[in-house]
Amino acid sequence: NNRVGIGTNSPTTSLDIVRAGVQPLRIESSNGTEVAINMVNTGGNVQLEAHNGNFNIDADNVGIGTSSPPEQLSVVNSSGRASIYLASGGTNQGYISYFNSTQTLSLGNASPTGTGVNGGQQLNILSSGNVGIGTSSPSSKFVIYDSSNPYIYLQNSTTGTGVNDGFSMVEYGTDIYINNRESGNMLFYNSNTERFRVHSGGNFSIASTSTGGGSILTLSTGSFTHGIKQFCNDGQKSLLVEVGGSEVGSISHSSSSTAYNTSSDHRLKE
């Protein structure tokens, strides 16, 4: 019947090899490099092993779960998720999964049981293009979710990479914290022009890059630079207004009174 049996007297295919245990078929070259096809009886699993060399598949496209792979590597599971498992050392593992039911592409570092974070998937890309980190249902193009305090960090080789380095934003309850953790300035632009600056010392400037000689607030209008300084000693000027570096007015106070002073002829009247 044009059938050959090895280990069996009733072959069912052209070449039928039957052996209890593993490695029913071994192909080995004279230099000791072998390719073994192992059949494991438990669970009906098939293992393809290349000893002392690489295992290469010479084909245009390779399909797992499909007989008509459309791409170089196609993994198909028609009844659930399709996943690729990556591991190092047996304990560190990662997954790339596609969930057909929700049309979601997910990446995670734990075994995927669903499209949520509790299902092992920390990053999800929806068919709409929305991306979620820490959430499986991002409502806009990019959403970061954490049940306590979601952080965003920007760091480089100058700032360092510690928890107290770089720039960070965090939502703490209903409050938002914007933090330059370095001793640098914070610049705010629109129309590609700087409009507002928070200096490293805590001073502010609007439409100006100058600290205004120690002014807590510096404003620039045309050729004039206006500054406001604050002092806290009793009996001293508590607020000083300058134009072009010259004092034009102030507010001073003592423990019992407040005085309004100006260099012009106009005086504050009740």
Side-chain angles (χ1 to χ4, degrees):
N1 58 6
N2 296 322
R3 297 175 184 175
V4 177
I6 300 176
T8 176
N9 55 12
S10 56
T12 58
T13 61
S14 298
L15 176 61
D16 201 342
I17 302 175
V18 178
R19 177 188 173 188
V22 298
Q23 294 183 338
L25 176 63
R26 171 177 291 177
I27 303 173
E28 186 174 357
S29 66
S30 60
N31 62 4
T33 302
E34 64 182 44
V35 175
I37 301 177
N38 299 336
M39 175 68 74
V40 179
N41 292 331
T42 57
N45 297 318
V46 175
Q47 297 177 344
L48 301 178
E49 298 178 352
H51 299 280
N52 303 319
N54 299 322
F55 186 84
N56 301 316
I57 300 177
D58 187 5
D60 292 334
N61 295 336
V62 176
I64 299 176
T66 176
S67 59
S68 55
E71 299 295 338
Q72 291 176 311
L73 176 61
S74 302
V75 180
V76 177
N77 185 354
S78 59
S79 60
R81 71 173 185 272
S83 297
I84 297 176
Y85 169 77
L86 306 172
S88 174
T91 56
N92 301 319
Q93 58 187 17
Y95 292 83
I96 302 175
S97 303
Y98 181 78
F99 295 82
N100 183 59
S101 59
T102 56
Q103 297 183 342
T104 301
L105 177 65
S106 300
L107 291 87
N109 60 0
S111 179
T113 58
T115 57
V117 176
N118 293 333
Q121 303 307 97
Q122 282 74 42
L123 187 148
N124 296 279
I125 304 174
L126 306 187
S127 59
S128 63
N130 292 354
V131 177
I133 296 178
T135 175
S136 60
S137 54
S139 56
S140 58
K141 288 302 179 184
F142 185 60
V143 177
I144 298 177
Y145 174 81
D146 187 278
S147 59
S148 54
N149 306 316
Y151 271 90
I152 297 176
Y153 270 83
L154 299 178
Q155 299 173 328
N156 57 36
S157 59
T158 302
T159 65
T161 57
V163 295
N164 293 317
D165 295 328
F167 168 82
S168 69
M169 292 180 60
V170 60
E171 184 180 34
Y172 193 88
T174 56
D175 297 328
I176 297 293
Y177 291 74
I178 300 175
N179 186 2
N180 182 0
R181 297 174 178 270
E182 310 298 322
S183 57
N185 304 323
M186 297 181 67
L187 287 66
F188 299 82
Y189 277 66
N190 80 334
S191 299
N192 202 33
T193 302
E194 181 181 339
R195 304 299 187 186
F196 178 67
R197 176 181 294 212
V198 181
H199 296 270
S200 58
N203 297 340
F204 300 85
S205 59
I206 299 176
S208 172
T209 60
S210 171
T211 58
S215 299
I216 60 172
L217 177 61
T218 302
L219 302 94
S220 178
T221 56
S223 60
F224 290 97
T225 299
H226 311 270
I228 299 176
K229 295 182 178 179
Q230 183 180 21
F231 304 90
C232 297
N233 296 328
D234 188 29
Q236 301 293 325
K237 298 172 182 177
S238 58
L239 194 64
L240 177 65
V241 181
E242 293 182 344
V243 175
S246 300
E247 179 183 340
V248 296
S250 65
I251 300 175
S252 58
H253 73 281
S254 66
S255 59
S256 59
S257 64
T258 299
Y260 302 88
N261 315 296
T262 178
S263 59
S264 71
D265 294 332
H266 297 282
R267 293 292 184 267
L268 181 66
K269 307 201 181 278
E270 296 182 355

